[in-house]
Structure formats: C-alpha cells, structure tokens
C-alpha cells in the first residue's frame, strides 16, 4: 500500500514555475527524505500534499485519496510539522497542545500523555516564548502526533537546532518509524537522513535530480576517487594523490613508483552531502546552457 503517490506535479506562482513535474512515491511505513537547497520546492510539495496549496497540474494521492476531494479524511491520517516553528508564543505548552487535542476531539489525558512521550511534562506550564528552539520543536512534534497519525510530514525538522537537539528529534522519529509511521521529511542537511530514510529524492529548482535508496544513489554516483599515499624513496616525504576512477590512475601509480614507495591505495565513497552539492551544481549549469 502506498502512503503517497505524486505524479507529474506542477506548481506555478504566476509565471514562476516552482515545481516542474515531480514524481514521488512512499510505501506505507517507509521514510522518504526530500532534499533540496533553498527554494528547491520542498515546502511547496508538502503544502500541496497537506492541501495548503493546490497543484497547478499533476496527481497527488495520500493513501489513495486526493487532497482536492478528501482533505478532511487526509487530515485525520496525517500529522504536519511545518517549517518556521509556528506556535502560539504567549500561551503555555499545555494550552498549545490542548488547542490541537480539541481539534481532534481527544480526551484531556491525551495532552499529558503526549507531553510525557516527548519529555515535555516538566514544561507544560512554560510559555512557548520561554522555550529553547529544540524544546519548541518537540512541542511541534507533540502537536503533530497527538492524534496518532499514520503519516507524518516534517518540513526541515532540525533546521537551526544544535546537534544534541537534532539527535533528540531523530531518535524520536526513529521510534515513530519503528511503530510503523510513514515519514516524509524535507531538509537541506544531509546528516542523519541516511540513517532514518529508506529513500531519498533530491530536488533542485522544482526538478528531481536524483532518487533512490541512499546506497543506490551512492553507487549510481560512484565516480569513486582513488586516494594514494606514498613516501619518497630518498627524502621520506609523504604525499597524497587523488585520482578519479575515470583517470588513467594505473599509469600514474607506475610513474609514482619510480620515486615513491606506495603506502596505501584507498577508494573514497562519496558522502551524500558531496553528491548533493555536485548534483545541484550540475543541474544549475545545465539550466545556464
Ligand atoms: N506563495 C508563493 N508565491 C510566489 N512564489 C512562491 C510562493 N511560495 C513559494 N514560492 C517560490 O517557489 C520556490 C520554491 O519555494 P519553497 O518554499 O517550496 O522552497 P523550499 O525548498 O522549501 O526552500 P527553503 O529551503 O528555503 O525552505 C521558491 O523560489 C519560492 O520563492
Ligand atoms: Mg521550505
């Protein structure tokens, strides 16, 4: 069963085309990372899935339902952590959570239960404006999952958080995933995506530039680098040379051997971050051609 199916999705704001034909699928229970630089179209995609924006053309199905005809049903099944931490600043954590509890007609205990789950019990009477960014993000997650959604969408959930707050959020997402929640998260930060996401979609300027599992993307992109460490036979100077597998690196090694002792030959698997930067640059260059 598919939690999400997006086909040939286009979105224009006036003459500006923010999404230029996007296809995304998520199987129930899986986690997909939607990666892209600023302005790539990540939030626009999420807003179309959640019905905050309507598509210009293309098909969107959430558990086989269309947001244009079945938004109420979809809202019962999904939870959203939007970007920018929109919370009511002058009221307490408890009051914030109560607002959303009431939206779903849930009993009072649910507020305490969800606060406990997100380790916010000690903060229930604190005003949102007095909380750290990391705690605010936990309130947003509590709010988003108060009705136990089967599909959680998070728009840049760790943006602006310090490493320990990010870790805390990712641990919680891992627990939700273990319980079977489908997750779609957007980010421009590659760290942790690999550990949580089964699939990754890279978008740039409204177009998909790569998709697949993290290891598929890496192996598709295995323009691996060969790193050679060597020591000069007379001076003992240590050097490191980097070649691409596409270079004629074997003859380079033979040349080196005349003056150097080869200490090690290693391959370098590109990190997702490097692939992301490179794909974004290539796609930007193509646009300029
Ligand atoms: N309501 C709008 N009116 C006009 N243009 C918009 C609107 N919303 C988004 N855009 C434009 O569409 C493009 C995609 O925006 P979007 O917010 O989806 O990007 P994003 O990938 O979420 O970026 P960020 O990482 O900055 O959050 C951007 O160029 C943005 O300026
Ligand atoms: Mg955004």
């Amino acid at each position: 069963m598919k939690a999400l199916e997006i086909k040939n999705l286009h979105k224009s704001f006036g003459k500006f085309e923010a999404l230029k034909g996007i296809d995304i699928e998520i199987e129930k229970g899986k986690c997909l990372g939607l990666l892209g630089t600023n302005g790539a179209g990540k939030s626009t995609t999420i807003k179309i899935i959640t019905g905050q924006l309507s598509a210009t053309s293309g098909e969107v199905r959430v558990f086989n339902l269309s947001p244009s005809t079945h938004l109420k049903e979809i809202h019962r099944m999904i939870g959203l952590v939007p970007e920018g931490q929109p919370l009511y600043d002058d009221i307490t954590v408890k009051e914030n959570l109560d607002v959303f509890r009431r939206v779903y007609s849930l009993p009072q205990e649910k507020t305490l239960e969800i606060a406990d789950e997100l380790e916010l019990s000690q903060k229930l009477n604190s005003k949102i404006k007095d909380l750290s960014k990391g705690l605010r993000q936990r309130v947003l997650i509590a709010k988003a999952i108060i009705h136990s959604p089967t599909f959680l969408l998070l728009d840049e959930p760790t943006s602006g958080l310090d490493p320990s707050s990010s870790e805390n959020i990712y641990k919680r997402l891992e627990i939700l995933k273990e319980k079977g929640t489908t997750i779609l998260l957007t980010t421009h930060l590659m760290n942790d995506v690999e550990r949580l996401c089964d699939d990754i979609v890279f978008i740039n300027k409204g177009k998909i530039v790569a998709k697949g599992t993290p290891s598929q993307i890496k192996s598709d992109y295995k323009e691996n680098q060969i790193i050679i460490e060597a020591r000069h036979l007379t001076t003992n100077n240590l050097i490191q040379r980097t070649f691409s597998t596409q270079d004629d690196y074997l003859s380079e090694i033979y040349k080196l051997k005349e003056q150097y002792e080869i200490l090690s030959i290693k391959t370098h698997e590109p990190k997702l971050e490097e692939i992301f930067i490179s794909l974004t640059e290539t796609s930007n260059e193509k646009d300029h051609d």
Side-chain angles (χ1 to χ4, degrees), residues 59-278:
E59 207 180 311
V60 177
R61 304 235 156 231
V62 182
F63 294 109
N64 228 2
L65 300 173
S66 162
S68 55
T69 53
H70 290 79
L71 200 52
K72 245 189 179 167
E73 289 85 344
I74 290 175
H75 279 178
R76 260 185 237 121
M77 293 187 283
I78 67 171
L80 171 65
V81 176
E83 71 181 335
Q85 302 202 317
L87 285 164
Y88 302 116
D89 258 7
D90 287 317
I91 60 173
T92 65
V93 171
K94 181 172 183 303
E95 286 161 340
N96 260 280
L97 294 177
D98 275 340
V99 170
F100 292 92
R101 176 179 61 74
R102 286 197 205 100
V103 168
Y104 295 102
S105 314
L106 298 165
Q108 270 184 356
E109 312 84 77
K110 195 69 203 175
T111 298
L112 303 181
E113 205 181 299
I114 202 77
D116 184 43
E117 199 177 319
L118 274 291
E119 289 174 69
L120 288 165
S121 303
Q122 304 296 318
K123 298 284 174 189
L124 275 172
N125 296 319
S126 304
K127 285 192 175 164
I128 297 291
K129 63 180 176 192
D130 297 328
L131 299 183
S132 67
K133 254 191 137 180
L135 278 171
R136 287 170 70 106
Q137 199 61 6
R138 258 148 70 189
V139 176
L140 271 166
I141 293 181
K143 193 197 99 179
I145 63 170
I146 200 161
H147 58 303
S148 312
T150 44
F151 183 12
L152 181 61
L153 300 101
L154 307 103
D155 199 351
E156 311 230 14
T158 57
S159 175
L161 302 193
D162 64 32
S164 96
S165 303
S166 297
E167 176 64 20
N168 190 300
I169 301 285
Y170 272 103
K171 274 202 182 130
R172 275 158 222 288
L173 295 182
E174 273 173 348
I175 295 168
L176 286 169
K177 195 183 161 200
E178 272 164 31
K179 286 187 192 162
T181 310
T182 308
I183 297 175
L184 166 60
L185 69 92
T186 78
T187 182
H188 58 269
L189 308 165
M190 306 303 123
N191 293 350
D192 301 309
V193 168
E194 229 176 319
R195 105 179 189 212
L196 188 71
C197 295
D198 304 287
D199 289 292
I200 289 178
V201 172
F202 282 113
I203 57 171
N204 188 43
K205 293 185 181 166
K207 276 191 283 195
I208 292 181
V209 290
K211 62 159 88 173
T213 64
S215 60
Q216 263 167 3
I217 289 186
K218 280 188 189 168
S219 72
D220 286 355
Y221 202 77
K222 231 180 207 160
E223 195 189 312
N224 262 348
Q225 287 176 332
I226 309 271
I227 301 164
I228 295 165
E229 287 176 327
R231 183 193 293 129
H232 197 276
L233 291 173
T234 49
T235 65
N236 277 343
N237 268 356
L238 293 174
I239 58 157
Q240 188 176 304
R241 291 275 153 82
T242 306
F243 302 101
S244 152
T245 42
Q246 286 163 352
D247 297 336
D248 184 9
Y249 63 92
L250 281 178
S251 34
E252 295 294 335
I253 293 176
Y254 281 119
K255 256 190 246 164
L256 268 180
K257 277 183 77 174
E258 290 166 13
Q259 295 182 43
Y260 288 86
E261 177 195 358
I262 307 293
L263 300 175
S264 68
I265 301 177
K266 290 186 209 143
T267 56
H268 168 70
E269 184 167 86
K271 290 200 183 90
L272 275 180
E273 181 114 24
E274 294 163 353
I275 298 175
F276 174 65
I277 293 167
S278 170

Side-chain angles (χ1 to χ4, degrees), residues 5-10 22 55 57-61:
E5 272 181 289
I6 293 181
K7 284 190 192 136
N8 202 19
L9 180 64
H10 287 256
I22 300 252
S57 66
E59 207 180 311
V60 177
R61 304 235 156 231

